[in-house]
Amino acid sequence: MASRVQKKDDDESDFLFENLDKGQVIQEKRAFNESPIHPRKCSLVISQFLYLLSRGDSFTKTEATDIFFAATKLFQSKDIPLRRLMYLLLKELSTISQDAIIVISSLTKDMSHKIELYRANAIRILCKITDSSILPQIERYFKQSIVEKDPHVSSAALVSSIHLLKVCPEIVKRWANEVQEAISNKSNMVQYHALALLHRIKQHDRLAVSKLVSNLIKNSLRSPYAQSYLIRCCVEVIEETNTEDRIFREYIESCLRSKNEMVAYEAARSICTFKNVSNKEINSAVGVLQNFLNSTKPTLRFAAVRTLNKLAQTNPTAVIPCNLDMENLITDTNRSIATLAITTLLKVGNESNVERLIKQIANFLGDINDEFKIVVVDAITSLSQKFPKKYKHLIIFLNKILRDEGTLQLKQATLDAILTVVNNIPESKEIALTELCDYIEDCDFPDLSVQILHLIGQEGPLTSSPAQYMRYIYNRVLLDGGIIRAAAVTSIAKFGLLYEPMKEKVVILLQRCLLDEDDEVRDRATLYLKLFKENDVRYLNKVLMDDVPVPLNNLQKSLELYLHQGDFSEPFDIASVSTVVETYQSPLLGDGKSPFSTGASKKGDSVTGTPKSNNASNNNNNNEESSGPESFATKLSQIPQFSTFGKLLKSSEYIELTETETEYVVNCVKHIYREHIVFQFNCTNTLNEQQLSNVSVKMVPSDPKLLKYECSIPIDVLPYGEPQQCYVAIRYIPANGYPLCSFSNALKFKVKEVDPSTGELDEPGYDDQYSLERLEIVPKDFLNRAFVGNFSEEWKKMSEDTQLVQTFSLVGVKSIDEAVKQIIKTLGMAPAEKSEVVTPKSAKHILYLTGKSLNNQLIYVRARMKLDQSQTNTDVELTIKSDDESLNDFVISAFIEK
């Protein structure tokens, strides 16, 4: 008899909820109202709702509310599996439905139920729907649950408290004693959650965190989860306090010998991230990771090789003992592990095995995701600097990644790697250009095509046979979209400028572009043709070869402001555009630095971070000052006290005067006028139990003779979490010199206590003050960036009679790249001729800078630098040229104390 059992096809799905319809399921909620309740039927309906939510289906507020209140009828059921599903559904819908607060009485009743399962789940839902007005009423239930003997209830209360800490921190902080008691619970998970909560309660008090960690180290936690968390707390204390107490390091070292693999790995990983670590410590950590490389568990092998991969970037010699073990991982069935092993070997390996490793990566490149491909690309980039003779193999390999399927992020990283190889190894230029020319024939990303065309236009005319590239460029004019065609026209024009024999052919090709349907293409072709016919080589150089010297977003806003003001008596000056670009750094990942970091953008792209409104430090300037002096000028001109100061000449970057975790967060921007300086203090009150009023900054100058106090504008009211600005203005006389001095600062205010639950103020308050960091007026505050087409020509034109030459040493600066960055930062002037780019591991370099004074006097700076014999300092010869000898002395004063 033939069997009737048939084998299902692999592609055939028997998933119960696959074709589930939301409308039909919503109708099924009537099962919750049936009497008696049918647990099996209701459980199926709840499972369907949970599946819809996990699938991403959205419910309107009305739908969610109806389902929520229908599900509350199930509180009558005593079926435990059904109650578990009901709690889960209520938790998911509590944030969507209206009036979810109505179930608090039922949940509070369940918090004292004899069945632990009810108590734990009731706590989890309560933390979702509780706000600062309700929490005081149920506070005692949470405190009782935290010290509950049952680990499920205690863990639920602790994790819920971590969430409630964001809602009402002042109430949760009062539970510290109960949380401390929970740390002694026998459950591993309860210990871990209790430690996590206690650390969050004390995290803004460094001394309290340090004491907590010290006590827990002595009491020796049993939970491996808590031990791992304690290791991270030790790292935090070491990094933030720079303590010399060995107890924290010794604890981490002792954890290397733990029998628990998770704890041992966390200790090894932490030691590998230390900035100052001894050879003994790093060798011990690497030894533990080496053992994990041979583990039978893929997770341990992956964790170990990833940590070694990161360590190889900063300390490659420490990883060398693991080379043999990582060689064995190249054939690992887990492709992520194999990729990390090979890239780590590439970072620490020698020249003889580079080709073999690259071939092995190529064999399984298609089996790994784009994230790990980017890791491979980064390793290849660093390899090109280490073994420049292997450039052919590296370029061919990178081109293979470029041609394969992948995201724009991967393609961009690969193209950047190729550009890095070309910049560092001139011999690789022709092979790289040939490969890229082939790639743009089938490139799916316009942004990449534009960048490649730019590179071909820059470097193609300088190769041995420039004509071979013209066919690829002109194909783009014929076959691609408007953006790419416009870039191709510019690239063609560069060949005519840089390679004289092709000039006539270039003119012919540009004439064919005059009838293009795209305005941008026609305009570019018309401009280039006119300049070629007039043989205006200098302007062609300026138009074709010079990068836009300022961030494009800033340039756009400056032009819009210029047009809006309607005063066209003076032409627009690009030198007036701000080069300050704001970036946001999350305080969760931060290191105590300003959330506003400034710097020149790459190729004129502006990078502006948008801080969240609930972050005190980052919200100082949410709605203003995103584009530098342009928006500063608009706002300051509207303040009557400053309206007579004239034109704003310069605004500084943000200068932090407090740390980001303090009670009051303050940073400052210096606004320079012809005869005045306005200090704008951005203040944020991070204490929700205080309201400040009459907030001002008292500034005491180190040399009062250099300046005169003009006026001060205080903040009337500074409530919690709402940034405000106060101002101090001083006057100086330019004829007497710029007022280079420092200020001691104090934030002065009146404090009124606030009841967080009611918002009521405690009158009348009391006067108080808060010390701020010192603030300096430095030479770069009076120097603007300037841009010239040809620095060498302008340098030769300037007379040597007025030049100033000064030599000095940058103490503690151990690399040329660091020296270049420090000089640019100190002077605030614009690098010329791409001299800010330093050849890797170079021992000497020449930096060119251009700037101008507030009187528009041009300044040219040449900095010759080299590492001294000890390789720990950088010697600098600074030559300054301008038409004013006193201006030269002023510039050099930024480095030389007089």
Side-chain angles (χ1 to χ4, degrees), residues 819-832:
V820 167
K821 291 176 181 176
Q822 184 167 322
I823 292 172
I824 294 174
K825 182 179 179 181
T826 302
L827 294 180
M829 298 167 71

Side-chain angles (χ1 to χ4, degrees), residues 445-461:
F445 301 102
D447 287 350
L448 296 184
S449 294
V450 169
Q451 292 177 56
I452 292 171
L453 287 167
H454 172 75
L455 176 67
I456 297 171
Q458 293 278 95
E459 305 295 342

Side-chain angles (χ1 to χ4, degrees), residues 764-784:
Y766 58 91
D767 293 327
D768 200 356
Q769 67 178 28
Y770 188 82
S771 297
L772 305 177
E773 297 287 340
R774 292 189 72 84
L775 186 63
E776 292 185 327
I777 302 177
V778 292
K780 77 170 183 178
D781 292 331
F782 304 94
L783 300 174
N784 278 314

Side-chain angles (χ1 to χ4, degrees), residues 488-519:
V489 167
T490 299
S491 189
I492 290 171
K494 289 178 180 177
F495 274 79
L497 172 65
L498 300 175
Y499 188 60
E500 188 68 26
M502 291 189 67
K503 186 174 181 180
E504 292 182 7
K505 294 180 180 179
V506 165
V507 170
I508 294 171
L509 294 177
L510 290 175
Q511 287 173 340
R512 293 179 184 177
C513 299
L514 292 175
L515 300 177
D516 194 277
E517 62 183 22
D518 190 274
D519 291 346

Side-chain angles (χ1 to χ4, degrees), residues 15-18 20 25 28 32 39-55 59 67 74 81-82 84-86 88-89 92:
F15 185 50
L16 183 63
F17 300 151
E18 183 178 16
L20 210 56
V25 178
E28 293 292 330
F32 301 156
R40 191 176 182 85
K41 186 177 180 181
C42 292
S43 296
L44 178 63
V45 175
I46 293 177
S47 299
Q48 291 173 336
F49 278 123
L50 293 173
Y51 172 73
L52 290 174
L53 288 166
S54 66
R55 192 173 70 179
F59 291 86
I67 299 167
L74 301 179
L82 176 59
R84 292 182 68 180
L85 285 169
M86 178 205 69
L88 194 55
L89 181 62
E92 293 296 323

Side-chain angles (χ1 to χ4, degrees), residues 752-867:
K752 295 181 181 179
E753 300 292 340
V754 179
D755 186 338
S757 57
T758 63
E760 294 181 359
L761 291 175
D762 183 14
E763 299 289 353
Y766 58 91
D767 293 327
D768 200 356
Q769 67 178 28
Y770 188 82
S771 297
L772 305 177
E773 297 287 340
R774 292 189 72 84
L775 186 63
E776 292 185 327
I777 302 177
V778 292
K780 77 170 183 178
D781 292 331
F782 304 94
L783 300 174
N784 278 314
R785 297 161 68 93
F787 305 93
V788 294
N790 190 319
F791 182 89
S792 299
E793 287 186 9
E794 300 298 332
W795 180 266
K796 292 175 183 176
K797 288 179 184 177
M798 298 294 293
S799 171
E800 295 186 0
D801 295 337
T802 58
Q803 79 175 20
L804 175 64
V805 181
Q806 184 73 50
T807 58
F808 56 90
S809 182
L810 297 175
V811 179
V813 178
K814 301 178 182 180
S815 72
I816 295 296
D817 185 56
E818 187 181 347
V820 167
K821 291 176 181 176
Q822 184 167 322
I823 292 172
I824 294 174
K825 182 179 179 181
T826 302
L827 294 180
M829 298 167 71
E833 298 188 356
K834 298 183 179 178
S835 60
E836 73 276 17
V837 179
V838 180
T839 305
K841 298 182 180 179
S842 176
K844 58 182 179 179
H845 184 71
I846 300 179
L847 171 68
Y848 304 112
L849 299 172
T850 55
K852 61 181 181 180
S853 68
L854 298 184
N855 297 324
N856 290 324
Q857 291 178 293
L858 284 170
I859 309 162
Y860 301 92
V861 175
R862 182 186 67 198
R864 290 175 172 163
M865 60 196 82
K866 67 176 182 178
L867 295 175

